Amino acid sequence: MNKKYWLMAVSALLALSLSACTKNDDTASSGDTEKTNAAEVKTEAKDTEKEDTTDENATEQTITYLGEDYVLPAKVDNIVAASLESMEDAAILGVKPVGVLAVGDAIPEYLASDLEGASLVGDKFAPNNEAILALDPDVILGSSKHSEDVVAAMNKIQTMIPYSHLSENWEENLELLGKLTGKESKADEIIADYNAKAAEAKEKIGDSMKDKTVLVLRIRQGSVAVYSDETYLNSVLYTDLGLPVPEIVSSTDGQGELSLEALADINPDYIFLQFEDSENAENLTAKDDLLANPIFKSITAAKENHVFVNTIAPLAQGGTAWSKVRFLDAAIENLVSE
């Protein structure tokens, strides 16, 4: 073979060899990359699976409520509602506690159908620890009004969360119970619907009530009680609907007693009056006596038939979603002009 042609053949073979090597190297590199990526995905999947498994196998959870942390079982099934506030929220959310408080040795009438089947665990002043223990609770929803010894006794049974009795915390209360029971979306819906309805009513009222005095009064142990602007049902009137706050309300710290003479001096235009037999066991005629009193009958609200008695259940706590939703409807019905 001619040397020239021999050299050309050798060059061609070398070129083909180099091309094959490059192609093999690229293929190998691509394969290594795919293997690496697959390994990473597999590792991530294992990590995710491990995390999920860890969550599923967790025996505890930490719930944060009003700035405090509470350790509970990972799965909450048995809830003891050891406060009327938590009982009202359970009713509006459609939650069935295993234990509830009694009024007159029975579930309060206004909550009886919603909480039917729950065991009784004493009354709001003296919860029965033995009855609570027998229900094997995963959490106890007590009251922020419970004394230290009651709280300590409950915490020996299971974590007790001091459910707030303040109306300013009504949304946090409902959100807590929603989180514990898997009803978070329903809690959010109730809150959003209430706020939207209150805003609409406030707009309708406008300035029509700016010169009017509206009071919520409650007869307890035969005496007439008045409340501060954020206590009991008052937050609906003065905060949510924006009605002017009467001086007697702004000067009251929590709850105060109001004499008939002082009430006549105030001369309110509208009165929402609440009366419950169990709170007036020794004065069962107190409401009728008040309504028939000549001094009371001289008040503008009485003369204009603007005294509304028990527009919601008289035992309603006032600062809960259950109470606020219903009292807002009552306020709109009686105060908002169509």
Side-chain angles (χ1 to χ4, degrees), residues 109-123:
E109 184 178 355
Y110 74 109
L111 301 174
S113 60
D114 291 311
L115 305 181
E116 183 179 5
S119 298
L120 300 179
V121 293
D123 61 38

Side-chain angles (χ1 to χ4, degrees), residues 78 100 170 182 210 232 259:
N78 294 346
V100 298
W170 77 277
K210 67 178 182 179
Y232 193 38
S259 70

Side-chain angles (χ1 to χ4, degrees), residues 144-155:
S144 56
K145 294 185 288 187
H146 279 151
S147 61
E148 291 184 6
D149 58 329
V150 170
V151 171
M154 287 183 178
N155 274 317

Side-chain angles (χ1 to χ4, degrees), residues 3-314:
K3 183 176 180 181
K4 177 180 177 181
Y5 291 115
W6 182 82
L7 288 172
M8 289 175 63
V10 170
S11 298
L13 287 172
L14 285 172
L16 287 172
S17 176
L18 288 172
S19 175
C21 288
T22 301
K23 184 174 182 180
N24 289 339
D25 288 346
D26 289 343
T27 302
S29 176
S30 175
D32 289 344
T33 300
E34 290 176 2
K35 288 179 182 178
T36 301
N37 290 339
E40 289 176 353
V41 170
K42 189 173 182 180
T43 301
E44 289 175 2
K46 284 184 176 180
D47 289 342
T48 302
E49 182 180 349
K50 183 177 180 181
E51 288 174 3
D52 291 342
T53 301
T54 301
D55 290 339
E56 289 175 1
N57 293 335
T59 59
E60 293 181 341
Q61 62 172 315
T62 299
I63 296 290
T64 301
Y65 166 69
L66 296 179
E68 298 292 333
D69 292 338
Y70 300 91
V71 178
L72 307 175
K75 186 171 176 55
V76 173
D77 291 317
N78 294 346
I79 296 176
V80 168
S83 62
L84 288 171
E85 290 85 2
S86 61
M87 289 165 61
E88 288 188 10
D89 278 349
I92 200 170
L93 272 181
V95 171
K96 295 284 188 179
V98 295
V100 298
L101 296 180
V103 173
D105 297 324
I107 298 174
E109 184 178 355
Y110 74 109
L111 301 174
S113 60
D114 291 311
L115 305 181
E116 183 179 5
S119 298
L120 300 179
V121 293
D123 61 38
K124 63 180 180 180
F125 300 109
N128 187 313
N129 294 323
E130 290 75 16
I132 294 174
L133 179 62
L135 295 174
D136 189 25
D138 297 311
V139 64
I140 302 169
L141 299 179
S143 171
S144 56
K145 294 185 288 187
H146 279 151
S147 61
E148 291 184 6
D149 58 329
V150 170
V151 171
M154 287 183 178
N155 274 317
K156 289 180 181 179
I157 300 171
Q158 182 55 278
T159 298
M160 191 283 268
I161 299 179
Y163 217 75
S164 178
H165 71 283
L166 301 177
S167 60
E168 64 194 65
N169 296 323
W170 77 277
E171 293 185 15
E172 289 85 349
N173 283 352
L174 199 65
E175 289 167 349
L176 168 66
L177 190 54
K179 187 171 186 179
L180 292 175
T181 59
K183 291 181 176 285
E184 293 165 283
S185 60
K186 186 170 183 180
D188 291 340
E189 181 182 350
I190 291 170
I191 292 169
D193 288 349
Y194 176 87
N195 288 330
K197 193 170 190 177
E200 181 182 357
K202 182 178 182 179
E203 185 175 354
K204 282 186 178 180
I205 290 173
D207 293 331
S208 65
M209 300 291 290
K210 67 178 182 179
D211 297 321
K212 303 295 183 181
T213 299
V214 184
L215 289 179
V216 173
L217 303 177
R218 187 179 184 183
I219 301 177
R220 309 188 80 179
Q221 299 177 358
S223 298
V224 177
V226 65
Y227 296 87
S228 59
D229 59 344
E230 285 293 332
T231 306
Y232 193 38
L233 297 165
N234 281 349
S235 63
V236 175
L237 297 177
Y238 309 126
T239 300
D240 304 336
L241 295 180
L243 301 185
V245 182
E247 184 180 350
I248 184 62
V249 170
S250 60
S251 63
T252 297
D253 183 14
Q255 175 182 311
E257 187 174 332
L258 185 65
S259 70
L260 186 57
E261 292 73 22
L263 179 60
D265 288 340
I266 297 166
N267 194 28
D269 300 281
Y270 298 84
I271 293 175
F272 289 91
L273 182 66
Q274 297 289 103
F275 177 85
E276 160 63 28
D277 286 352
S278 65
E279 295 182 332
N280 296 276
E282 298 180 5
N283 300 275
L284 293 176
T285 64
K287 171 178 65 70
D288 295 333
D289 293 343
L290 175 66
L291 296 176
N293 188 289
I295 298 177
F296 185 85
K297 292 173 72 173
S298 70
I299 293 171
T300 299
K303 291 191 294 186
E304 296 184 357
N305 293 319
H306 289 161
V307 178
F308 313 114
V309 179
N310 290 347
T311 55
I312 66 168

